[in-house]
Coordinates of all heavy atoms in Angstrom, one line a residue:
Q259 N 0.8 -1.2 0.0 CA 0.0 0.0 0.0 C 0.9 1.3 0.0 O 0.6 2.2 -0.7 CB -0.9 0.0 1.2 CG -2.0 -1.0 1.2 CD -2.9 -0.9 2.4 OE1 -2.5 -0.4 3.5 NE2 -4.1 -1.4 2.3
L260 N 1.9 1.2 0.8 CA 2.8 2.4 0.9 C 3.4 2.7 -0.5 O 3.4 3.9 -0.9 CB 3.9 2.2 1.9 CG 4.9 3.3 2.1 CD1 4.2 4.5 2.6 CD2 5.9 2.8 3.1
E261 N 3.8 1.7 -1.2 CA 4.4 1.9 -2.5 C 3.5 2.6 -3.4 O 3.8 3.5 -4.2 CB 4.9 0.6 -3.1 CG 5.6 0.7 -4.4 CD 6.1 -0.6 -4.9 OE1 6.0 -1.7 -4.2 OE2 6.6 -0.6 -6.0
G262 N 2.2 2.1 -3.4 CA 1.2 2.7 -4.2 C 0.9 4.2 -3.9 O 0.7 5.0 -4.8
R263 N 1.0 4.5 -2.6 CA 0.7 5.9 -2.2 C 1.8 6.8 -2.7 O 1.6 7.9 -3.1 CB 0.5 6.0 -0.7 CG -0.8 5.4 -0.3 CD -1.2 5.8 1.1 NE -0.2 5.5 2.1 CZ -0.2 4.4 2.9 NH1 -1.1 3.5 2.8 NH2 0.8 4.3 3.8
V264 N 3.1 6.4 -2.5 CA 4.2 7.3 -2.8 C 4.4 7.4 -4.3 O 5.0 8.4 -4.8 CB 5.5 6.9 -2.1 CG1 5.4 7.1 -0.6 CG2 6.0 5.6 -2.5
S265 N 4.0 6.4 -5.1 CA 4.1 6.5 -6.5 C 2.9 7.0 -7.2 O 2.8 7.0 -8.4 CB 4.5 5.1 -7.1 OG 3.5 4.2 -6.8
S266 N 1.8 7.3 -6.5 CA 0.6 7.8 -7.1 C 0.8 9.2 -7.7 O 1.8 9.9 -7.4 CB -0.5 7.9 -6.0 OG -0.3 8.9 -5.1
P267 N -0.1 9.6 -8.5 CA 0.0 11.0 -9.1 C 0.1 12.1 -8.1 O 0.7 13.1 -8.3 CB -1.3 11.1 -10.0 CG -1.7 9.7 -10.3 CD -1.3 8.9 -9.1
T268 N -0.6 11.9 -7.0 CA -0.5 12.9 -5.9 C 0.8 12.9 -5.2 O 1.1 13.8 -4.5 CB -1.7 12.8 -4.9 OG1 -1.6 11.5 -4.3 CG2 -3.0 12.9 -5.6
G269 N 1.5 11.8 -5.3 CA 2.9 11.7 -4.7 C 2.9 11.3 -3.2 O 4.0 11.2 -2.7
G270 N 1.8 11.1 -2.6 CA 1.8 10.6 -1.2 C 2.0 11.8 -0.2 O 2.3 12.9 -0.6
T271 N 1.9 11.5 1.0 CA 2.1 12.5 2.0 C 3.5 12.5 2.6 O 4.3 11.6 2.3 CB 1.1 12.3 3.2 OG1 1.5 11.1 3.9 CG2 -0.3 12.2 2.8
T272 N 3.8 13.5 3.4 CA 5.1 13.6 4.0 C 5.3 12.3 4.9 O 6.4 11.7 4.8 CB 5.2 14.8 4.9 OG1 5.0 16.0 4.1 CG2 6.6 14.9 5.6
D273 N 4.3 11.9 5.6 CA 4.4 10.7 6.4 C 4.7 9.4 5.6 O 5.4 8.6 6.0 CB 3.2 10.5 7.3 CG 3.1 11.5 8.4 OD1 4.1 12.1 8.8 OD2 1.9 11.7 8.9
D274 N 4.0 9.4 4.4 CA 4.3 8.2 3.5 C 5.7 8.2 3.1 O 6.4 7.1 3.1 CB 3.4 8.3 2.3 CG 1.9 8.1 2.6 OD1 1.6 7.5 3.6 OD2 1.1 8.6 1.7
H275 N 6.3 9.3 2.8 CA 7.7 9.4 2.3 C 8.7 9.1 3.5 O 9.7 8.4 3.3 CB 8.0 10.7 1.7 CG 7.5 10.8 0.3 ND1 8.0 10.2 -0.8 CD2 6.4 11.5 -0.2 CE1 7.3 10.4 -1.9 NE2 6.3 11.2 -1.5
L276 N 8.3 9.6 4.7 CA 9.2 9.3 5.8 C 9.1 7.8 6.2 O 10.1 7.2 6.5 CB 8.7 10.1 7.0 CG 9.1 11.6 7.0 CD1 8.5 12.3 8.1 CD2 10.6 11.8 6.9
A277 N 7.9 7.2 6.0 CA 7.8 5.7 6.3 C 8.6 4.9 5.2 O 9.2 3.9 5.6 CB 6.3 5.3 6.3
A278 N 8.5 5.4 4.0 CA 9.2 4.7 2.9 C 10.7 4.8 3.2 O 11.5 3.8 3.0 CB 8.8 5.2 1.6
A279 N 11.2 6.0 3.6 CA 12.6 6.2 3.8 C 13.1 5.3 4.9 O 14.1 4.6 4.8 CB 12.8 7.7 4.2
L280 N 12.3 5.2 6.0 CA 12.7 4.3 7.1 C 12.7 2.8 6.7 O 13.6 2.1 7.0 CB 11.7 4.5 8.3 CG 11.9 3.7 9.5 CD1 13.3 4.1 10.1 CD2 10.8 3.9 10.5
L281 N 11.7 2.4 5.9 CA 11.7 1.1 5.4 C 12.9 0.7 4.5 O 13.6 -0.3 4.7 CB 10.4 0.8 4.6 CG 10.2 -0.6 4.0 CD1 10.1 -1.6 5.2 CD2 9.0 -0.6 3.1
Y282 N 13.3 1.7 3.6 CA 14.4 1.4 2.8 C 15.7 1.4 3.6 O 16.6 0.7 3.3 CB 14.5 2.5 1.7 CG 13.5 2.3 0.6 CD1 12.6 3.3 0.2 CD2 13.4 1.0 -0.1 CE1 11.7 3.1 -0.8 CE2 12.5 0.8 -1.1 CZ 11.6 1.8 -1.4 OH 10.7 1.6 -2.4
Q283 N 15.8 2.3 4.6 CA 17.0 2.3 5.4 C 17.1 1.0 6.2 O 18.3 0.5 6.3 CB 16.9 3.5 6.4 CG 18.2 3.7 7.2 CD 18.1 4.9 8.1 OE1 17.1 5.1 8.8 NE2 19.1 5.7 8.1
Q284 N 16.1 0.4 6.7 CA 16.1 -0.8 7.4 C 16.5 -2.0 6.4 O 17.3 -2.8 6.8 CB 14.7 -1.2 8.0 CG 14.4 -0.3 9.2 CD 13.0 -0.5 9.6 OE1 12.1 -1.1 8.9 NE2 12.6 -0.1 10.8
Q285 N 16.0 -1.9 5.2 CA 16.4 -3.0 4.2 C 17.8 -2.8 3.9 O 18.5 -3.8 3.6 CB 15.5 -2.8 3.0 CG 14.1 -3.3 3.3 CD 13.2 -3.1 2.0 OE1 13.5 -2.4 1.1 NE2 12.0 -3.7 2.1
S286 N 18.3 -1.6 3.8 CA 19.8 -1.4 3.5 C 20.6 -2.0 4.6 O 21.6 -2.7 4.3 CB 20.0 0.1 3.3 OG 21.4 0.3 3.1
R287 N 20.3 -1.7 5.8 CA 21.0 -2.3 7.0 C 21.0 -3.8 7.0 O 22.1 -4.4 7.2 CB 20.5 -1.7 8.3 CG 20.8 -0.3 8.5 CD 20.3 0.2 9.9 NE 20.5 1.6 10.0 CZ 19.7 2.4 10.7 NH1 18.7 1.9 11.3 NH2 20.0 3.7 10.8
L288 N 19.9 -4.3 6.7 CA 19.8 -5.8 6.6 C 20.6 -6.4 5.6 O 21.3 -7.4 5.8 CB 18.3 -6.2 6.4 CG 18.0 -7.7 6.4 CD1 18.3 -8.3 7.7 CD2 16.5 -7.9 6.0
A289 N 20.6 -5.8 4.4 CA 21.4 -6.3 3.3 C 22.9 -6.2 3.6 O 23.7 -7.0 3.3 CB 21.1 -5.5 2.0
K290 N 23.3 -5.1 4.2 CA 24.7 -4.9 4.6 C 25.1 -6.0 5.6 O 26.2 -6.5 5.6 CB 25.0 -3.5 5.2 CG 25.0 -2.4 4.2 CD 25.2 -1.1 4.9 CE 25.1 0.0 3.9 NZ 25.3 1.4 4.5
T291 N 24.2 -6.3 6.6 CA 24.5 -7.3 7.6 C 24.7 -8.6 6.9 O 25.6 -9.4 7.2 CB 23.4 -7.4 8.6 OG1 23.3 -6.1 9.3 CG2 23.6 -8.4 9.6
E292 N 23.8 -9.0 6.0 CA 23.9 -10.2 5.2 C 25.2 -10.3 4.4 O 25.9 -11.3 4.4 CB 22.7 -10.4 4.3 CG 21.4 -10.7 5.0 CD 21.5 -12.0 5.8 OE1 21.9 -13.1 5.2 OE2 21.1 -12.1 7.0
A293 N 25.6 -9.2 3.8 CA 26.8 -9.2 3.0 C 28.0 -9.4 4.0 O 28.9 -10.2 3.6 CB 27.0 -7.8 2.4
G294 N 28.0 -8.9 5.1 CA 29.1 -9.1 6.1 C 29.2 -10.5 6.5 O 30.3 -11.1 6.7
K295 N 28.0 -11.2 6.7 CA 28.0 -12.6 7.1 C 28.6 -13.4 6.0 O 29.4 -14.3 6.3 CB 26.6 -13.1 7.3 CG 26.0 -12.5 8.6 CD 24.6 -13.0 8.8 CE 23.9 -12.3 10.0 NZ 22.5 -12.8 10.1
Y296 N 28.3 -13.2 4.7 CA 28.8 -13.9 3.6 C 30.3 -13.7 3.5 O 31.1 -14.7 3.3 CB 28.2 -13.5 2.3 CG 26.8 -14.1 2.1 CD1 25.7 -13.3 1.8 CD2 26.6 -15.5 2.1 CE1 24.4 -13.8 1.6 CE2 25.3 -16.0 1.9 CZ 24.2 -15.1 1.7 OH 23.0 -15.7 1.5
E297 N 30.8 -12.5 3.7 CA 32.2 -12.2 3.6 C 33.0 -12.9 4.8 O 34.1 -13.4 4.6 CB 32.4 -10.7 3.7 CG 32.0 -10.0 2.4 CD 31.9 -8.5 2.6 OE1 31.9 -8.0 3.7 OE2 31.8 -7.8 1.5
Q298 N 32.4 -12.9 5.9 CA 33.0 -13.6 7.1 C 33.1 -15.1 6.8 O 34.2 -15.6 7.1 CB 32.2 -13.3 8.3 CG 32.8 -13.8 9.6 CD 32.0 -13.4 10.8 OE1 30.8 -13.1 10.7 NE2 32.6 -13.5 12.0
V299 N 32.1 -15.7 6.3 CA 32.2 -17.1 6.0 C 33.2 -17.4 4.9 O 34.0 -18.3 5.0 CB 30.8 -17.7 5.6 CG1 30.9 -19.1 5.1 CG2 29.8 -17.6 6.8
A300 N 33.2 -16.6 3.9 CA 34.2 -16.7 2.8 C 35.6 -16.6 3.3 O 36.5 -17.4 2.9 CB 34.0 -15.7 1.7
A301 N 35.8 -15.7 4.2 CA 37.2 -15.5 4.8 C 37.6 -16.6 5.7 O 38.8 -16.9 5.8 CB 37.2 -14.2 5.6
S302 N 36.7 -17.3 6.3 CA 37.0 -18.4 7.2 C 37.2 -19.8 6.5 O 37.7 -20.7 7.1 CB 35.9 -18.6 8.2 OG 34.7 -19.2 7.6
I303 N 37.0 -19.8 5.2 CA 37.2 -21.1 4.4 C 38.7 -21.2 4.2 O 39.4 -20.4 3.6 CB 36.4 -21.0 3.1 CG1 34.9 -21.0 3.4 CG2 36.8 -22.3 2.2 CD1 34.1 -20.8 2.1
R304 N 39.2 -22.4 4.5 CA 40.6 -22.7 4.3 C 40.8 -23.3 2.9 O 39.8 -23.8 2.3 CB 41.1 -23.7 5.3 CG 41.1 -23.1 6.7 CD 41.6 -24.1 7.7 NE 40.8 -25.3 7.6 CZ 40.9 -26.4 8.4 NH1 41.8 -26.4 9.3 NH2 40.1 -27.4 8.2
A305 N 41.9 -23.1 2.3 CA 42.2 -23.5 1.0 C 42.0 -25.0 0.8 O 41.5 -25.5 -0.2 CB 43.6 -23.2 0.6
I306 N 42.3 -25.8 1.9 CA 42.1 -27.3 1.8 C 40.6 -27.6 1.7 O 40.2 -28.7 1.1 CB 42.8 -28.0 2.9 CG1 42.9 -29.4 2.6 CG2 42.0 -27.8 4.2 CD1 44.0 -30.1 3.5
E307 N 39.7 -26.8 2.2 CA 38.3 -27.0 2.2 C 37.7 -26.7 0.8 O 36.6 -27.2 0.5 CB 37.6 -26.2 3.3 CG 37.9 -26.6 4.7 CD 37.4 -25.6 5.7 OE1 37.3 -24.4 5.4 OE2 37.0 -26.1 6.8
D308 N 38.3 -25.8 0.1 CA 37.8 -25.3 -1.1 C 39.0 -25.1 -2.1 O 39.3 -23.9 -2.4 CB 37.0 -24.0 -0.9 CG 36.3 -23.4 -2.1 OD1 36.0 -24.2 -3.0 OD2 36.1 -22.2 -2.1
P309 N 39.6 -26.1 -2.5 CA 40.8 -26.0 -3.3 C 40.7 -25.2 -4.6 O 41.6 -24.5 -5.0 CB 41.2 -27.5 -3.6 CG 40.1 -28.3 -3.3 CD 39.2 -27.5 -2.4
K310 N 39.5 -25.2 -5.2 CA 39.4 -24.5 -6.5 C 38.7 -23.1 -6.3 O 38.6 -22.4 -7.2 CB 38.6 -25.3 -7.5 CG 39.3 -26.6 -7.9 CD 38.6 -27.3 -9.0 CE 39.4 -28.5 -9.5 NZ 38.7 -29.2 -10.6
G311 N 38.3 -22.9 -5.1 CA 37.8 -21.6 -4.7 C 36.3 -21.3 -5.2 O 35.8 -20.2 -5.1
F312 N 35.6 -22.4 -5.6 CA 34.2 -22.2 -6.0 C 33.3 -21.7 -4.9 O 32.5 -20.8 -5.1 CB 33.7 -23.5 -6.6 CG 34.4 -24.0 -7.8 CD1 34.6 -25.3 -8.1 CD2 34.8 -23.1 -8.8 CE1 35.2 -25.7 -9.3 CE2 35.3 -23.5 -10.0 CZ 35.6 -24.8 -10.2
R313 N 33.5 -22.3 -3.7 CA 32.6 -22.0 -2.6 C 32.9 -20.5 -2.2 O 32.0 -19.8 -1.9 CB 32.8 -23.0 -1.5 CG 31.9 -22.8 -0.4 CD 32.0 -24.0 0.6 NE 31.5 -23.6 1.9 CZ 32.0 -24.0 3.0 NH1 33.1 -24.8 3.1 NH2 31.5 -23.6 4.1
R314 N 34.2 -20.2 -2.0 CA 34.5 -18.9 -1.6 C 34.0 -17.8 -2.6 O 33.5 -16.8 -2.3 CB 36.1 -18.8 -1.5 CG 36.6 -17.5 -0.8 CD 38.1 -17.5 -0.6 NE 38.6 -18.8 0.0 CZ 39.4 -19.6 -0.7 NH1 39.8 -19.4 -1.9 NH2 39.8 -20.7 -0.1
S315 N 34.2 -18.2 -3.9 CA 33.7 -17.3 -5.0 C 32.2 -17.0 -4.9 O 31.8 -15.9 -5.1 CB 34.1 -17.8 -6.3 OG 33.7 -17.0 -7.4
A316 N 31.5 -18.1 -4.7 CA 30.0 -18.0 -4.6 C 29.6 -17.1 -3.4 O 28.7 -16.3 -3.5 CB 29.4 -19.4 -4.5
L317 N 30.3 -17.3 -2.3 CA 30.0 -16.5 -1.1 C 30.3 -15.0 -1.4 O 29.6 -14.1 -1.0 CB 30.8 -17.0 0.1 CG 30.3 -18.3 0.6 CD1 31.3 -19.0 1.6 CD2 28.9 -18.2 1.4
M318 N 31.4 -14.7 -2.0 CA 31.8 -13.4 -2.3 C 30.8 -12.7 -3.3 O 30.5 -11.5 -3.2 CB 33.2 -13.3 -2.8 CG 34.3 -13.6 -1.8 SD 34.1 -12.6 -0.2 CE 34.4 -11.0 -0.8
T319 N 30.3 -13.5 -4.3 CA 29.3 -13.1 -5.2 C 28.0 -12.7 -4.5 O 27.4 -11.7 -4.7 CB 29.0 -14.1 -6.3 OG1 30.2 -14.4 -7.0 CG2 27.9 -13.6 -7.2
A320 N 27.6 -13.6 -3.5 CA 26.4 -13.3 -2.7 C 26.6 -12.0 -1.9 O 25.7 -11.2 -1.8 CB 26.1 -14.5 -1.8
A321 N 27.8 -11.8 -1.4 CA 28.1 -10.6 -0.6 C 28.0 -9.4 -1.5 O 27.5 -8.4 -1.1 CB 29.5 -10.7 0.0
Q322 N 28.6 -9.5 -2.7 CA 28.5 -8.3 -3.6 C 27.1 -8.0 -4.0 O 26.7 -6.8 -4.1 CB 29.3 -8.6 -4.9 CG 30.8 -8.6 -4.6 CD 31.6 -9.1 -5.9 OE1 31.0 -9.7 -6.8 NE2 32.9 -8.9 -5.9
E323 N 26.3 -9.0 -4.2 CA 24.9 -8.7 -4.5 C 24.2 -8.1 -3.4 O 23.4 -7.1 -3.6 CB 24.2 -10.1 -4.9 CG 24.5 -10.6 -6.3 CD 24.1 -9.6 -7.4 OE1 22.9 -9.2 -7.3 OE2 24.9 -9.3 -8.2
N324 N 24.4 -8.5 -2.2 CA 23.8 -7.8 -1.0 C 24.3 -6.4 -0.8 O 23.6 -5.5 -0.5 CB 24.1 -8.7 0.3 CG 23.1 -9.8 0.4 OD1 22.0 -9.5 0.9 ND2 23.5 -11.0 0.1
R325 N 25.6 -6.2 -1.1 CA 26.1 -4.8 -1.1 C 25.4 -3.9 -2.1 O 25.1 -2.8 -1.9 CB 27.6 -4.8 -1.3 CG 28.4 -5.4 -0.2 CD 29.0 -4.5 0.8 NE 29.7 -5.2 1.8 CZ 29.6 -5.0 3.1 NH1 28.7 -4.0 3.5 NH2 30.3 -5.7 4.0
R326 N 25.2 -4.5 -3.3 CA 24.6 -3.7 -4.4 C 23.1 -3.4 -4.0 O 22.7 -2.3 -4.1 CB 24.6 -4.5 -5.7 CG 24.0 -3.8 -6.9 CD 23.8 -4.7 -8.1 NE 23.0 -5.9 -7.8 CZ 21.7 -5.9 -7.7 NH1 21.0 -4.8 -7.8 NH2 21.0 -7.0 -7.4
T327 N 22.4 -4.4 -3.4 CA 21.1 -4.2 -2.9 C 21.1 -3.1 -1.8 O 20.2 -2.2 -1.8 CB 20.5 -5.5 -2.4 OG1 20.4 -6.4 -3.4 CG2 19.1 -5.3 -1.8
A328 N 22.0 -3.2 -0.9 CA 22.1 -2.2 0.2 C 22.3 -0.8 -0.4 O 21.7 0.2 0.1 CB 23.3 -2.5 1.1
D329 N 23.2 -0.6 -1.4 CA 23.4 0.7 -2.1 C 22.1 1.2 -2.7 O 21.8 2.4 -2.6 CB 24.5 0.6 -3.1 CG 25.9 0.4 -2.5 OD1 26.0 0.6 -1.3 OD2 26.8 0.0 -3.2
E330 N 21.4 0.3 -3.4 CA 20.1 0.7 -4.0 C 19.1 1.2 -3.0 O 18.4 2.2 -3.1 CB 19.5 -0.4 -4.8 CG 20.3 -0.7 -6.1 CD 19.7 -2.0 -6.8 OE1 18.7 -2.5 -6.4 OE2 20.4 -2.4 -7.8
M331 N 19.0 0.4 -1.9 CA 18.1 0.8 -0.8 C 18.5 2.1 -0.2 O 17.6 2.9 0.2 CB 18.0 -0.3 0.3 CG 17.4 -1.7 -0.2 SD 15.7 -1.5 -0.7 CE 15.9 -1.9 -2.5
Q332 N 19.8 2.3 0.0 CA 20.3 3.6 0.5 C 19.9 4.8 -0.4 O 19.5 5.8 0.1 CB 21.8 3.5 0.8 CG 22.3 4.6 1.6 CD 21.8 4.6 3.1 OE1 21.5 3.6 3.6 NE2 21.6 5.8 3.6
Q333 N 20.0 4.6 -1.7 CA 19.6 5.6 -2.6 C 18.1 5.9 -2.5 O 17.7 7.1 -2.6 CB 20.0 5.2 -4.0 CG 21.5 5.3 -4.3 CD 21.9 4.7 -5.7 OE1 21.0 4.4 -6.5 NE2 23.1 4.7 -5.9
L334 N 17.3 4.9 -2.4 CA 15.9 5.1 -2.3 C 15.5 5.8 -1.0 O 14.6 6.6 -0.9 CB 15.1 3.7 -2.4 CG 15.1 3.1 -3.8 CD1 14.6 1.7 -3.8 CD2 14.3 4.0 -4.7
Y335 N 16.3 5.4 0.1 CA 16.1 6.1 1.4 C 16.4 7.6 1.2 O 15.5 8.4 1.6 CB 17.0 5.5 2.4 CG 17.3 6.4 3.6 CD1 16.4 6.6 4.5 CD2 18.5 7.1 3.6 CE1 16.6 7.5 5.6 CE2 18.8 8.0 4.7 CZ 17.8 8.2 5.6 OH 18.1 9.1 6.7
A336 N 17.5 7.9 0.6 CA 17.8 9.3 0.4 C 16.8 10.1 -0.4 O 16.4 11.2 -0.1 CB 19.2 9.4 -0.2
L337 N 16.3 9.4 -1.5 CA 15.3 10.0 -2.3 C 14.0 10.4 -1.5 O 13.5 11.5 -1.6 CB 14.9 9.1 -3.5 CG 13.8 9.5 -4.4 CD1 14.3 10.6 -5.4 CD2 13.2 8.3 -5.1
H338 N 13.5 9.4 -0.8 CA 12.3 9.6 0.0 C 12.5 10.6 1.2 O 11.6 11.4 1.5 CB 11.7 8.3 0.4 CG 11.0 7.5 -0.7 ND1 9.8 7.9 -1.2 CD2 11.5 6.5 -1.4 CE1 9.5 7.1 -2.2 NE2 10.5 6.2 -2.3
E339 N 13.6 10.5 1.8 CA 14.0 11.4 2.9 C 14.0 12.9 2.3 O 13.4 13.8 2.9 CB 15.3 11.1 3.5 CG 15.7 12.0 4.6 CD 14.9 11.9 5.9 OE1 14.2 10.9 6.1 OE2 14.9 12.8 6.7
A340 N 14.6 13.1 1.2 CA 14.7 14.4 0.6 C 13.3 14.9 0.2 O 13.0 16.1 0.4 CB 15.6 14.4 -0.6
K341 N 12.5 14.0 -0.4 CA 11.1 14.4 -0.8 C 10.3 14.8 0.5 O 9.6 15.8 0.4 CB 10.5 13.2 -1.5 CG 9.0 13.4 -1.9 CD 9.0 14.4 -3.0 CE 7.5 14.4 -3.5 NZ 7.3 15.4 -4.6
A342 N 10.5 14.0 1.6 CA 9.7 14.4 2.8 C 10.2 15.7 3.3 O 9.4 16.6 3.7 CB 9.9 13.3 3.8
Q343 N 11.5 16.0 3.3 CA 12.0 17.2 3.8 C 11.6 18.4 2.9 O 11.3 19.5 3.4 CB 13.6 17.2 3.9 CG 14.1 16.2 4.9 CD 13.6 16.5 6.3 OE1 13.5 17.6 6.7 NE2 13.3 15.4 7.0
T344 N 11.5 18.2 1.6 CA 11.0 19.2 0.7 C 9.6 19.5 1.0 O 9.2 20.7 1.0 CB 11.2 18.7 -0.8 OG1 12.6 18.5 -1.0 CG2 10.7 19.8 -1.7
M345 N 8.8 18.5 1.3 CA 7.4 18.7 1.6 C 7.2 19.4 2.9 O 6.2 20.1 3.0 CB 6.7 17.3 1.6 CG 6.6 16.7 0.2 SD 5.9 15.0 0.3 CE 4.2 15.4 0.2
L346 N 8.1 19.2 3.8 CA 8.0 19.9 5.1 C 8.6 21.3 5.0 O 8.5 22.1 5.9 CB 8.8 19.1 6.1 CG 8.2 17.8 6.6 CD1 9.2 17.1 7.5 CD2 6.9 18.1 7.4
G347 N 9.2 21.7 3.8 CA 9.7 23.0 3.6 C 11.1 23.2 4.2 O 11.6 24.3 4.3
K348 N 11.8 22.1 4.6 CA 13.1 22.2 5.2 C 14.2 22.2 4.2 O 15.3 22.4 4.5 CB 13.3 21.1 6.2 CG 12.4 21.1 7.4 CD 12.7 20.0 8.4 CE 11.8 20.2 9.6 NZ 12.1 19.1 10.6
Q349 N 13.9 21.9 3.0 CA 14.9 21.8 1.9 C 14.3 22.3 0.6 O 13.2 22.0 0.3 CB 15.3 20.3 1.8 CG 16.4 20.0 0.8 CD 16.7 18.6 0.7 OE1 16.1 17.7 1.4 NE2 17.7 18.2 -0.1
Q350 N 15.1 22.9 -0.1 CA 14.7 23.4 -1.5 C 14.7 22.2 -2.4 O 15.6 21.4 -2.4 CB 15.6 24.5 -1.9 CG 15.5 25.8 -1.1 CD 14.1 26.4 -1.1 OE1 13.4 26.4 -2.1 NE2 13.6 26.8 0.1
P351 N 13.7 22.1 -3.3 CA 13.7 21.1 -4.3 C 15.0 21.2 -5.2 O 15.4 22.3 -5.5 CB 12.5 21.3 -5.1 CG 11.8 22.5 -4.6 CD 12.6 23.0 -3.5
Q352 N 15.5 20.0 -5.6 CA 16.7 20.1 -6.4 C 16.4 19.8 -7.9 O 15.5 19.2 -8.3 CB 17.7 19.0 -6.0 CG 18.1 19.3 -4.6 CD 19.0 18.2 -4.0 OE1 19.2 17.1 -4.6 NE2 19.6 18.4 -2.9

C-alpha cells in the first residue's frame, strides 16, 4: 500500500515518504549485515576445504549482490527522505 501511495499521481504525504525512507533504510542495513556474514564465512574457508575456490567465490558473489542491494536501498532512502524534507519545507527542491 505504501508503495502505491508514494508512486501515485498525488505523490503521497510527508508521512508516507518518511515511512518509505525508514523502510528502505532498514532494508539497506539488513542487506549490509547479510553481506558481512557472507564475507565472514568466505574469509573463514581454508584452501584445503575449497581447493578450487568455487565456494569462496560463490560467497563473495552473494556478498557483492547484498552490497549492491544495500546501495540501491540507501539511494531510495535518500530520495524519499529528501522528498519528505522538501514537503516539510526544510529543503529546497533540487
Side-chain angles (χ1 to χ4, degrees):
Q259 290 180 338
L260 179 61
E261 184 180 353
R263 290 195 305 263
V264 295
S265 64
S266 71
T268 59
T271 66
T272 303
D273 288 338
D274 291 339
H275 285 285
L276 288 174
L280 182 61
L281 181 64
Y282 286 126
Q283 188 177 43
Q284 289 172 344
Q285 289 176 345
S286 176
R287 287 182 185 150
L288 181 63
K290 284 180 186 177
T291 300
E292 287 297 311
K295 288 178 185 177
Y296 284 122
E297 289 167 347
Q298 186 177 17
V299 171
S302 71
I303 295 174
R304 296 180 303 185
I306 198 160
E307 296 172 323
D308 187 24
K310 294 188 178 183
F312 293 144
R313 190 168 155 219
R314 191 176 313 113
S315 178
L317 288 164
M318 291 308 294
T319 299
Q322 289 172 347
E323 285 296 313
N324 275 281
R325 293 259 180 231
R326 184 189 55 76
T327 298
D329 289 345
E330 289 176 7
M331 294 298 112
Q332 192 64 31
Q333 289 175 1
L334 288 169
Y335 158 75
L337 175 80
H338 286 285
E339 179 70 20
K341 179 70 174 177
Q343 295 301 321
T344 300
M345 292 173 86
L346 288 172
K348 293 183 178 179
Q349 181 181 4
Q350 295 298 320
Q352 296 176 351

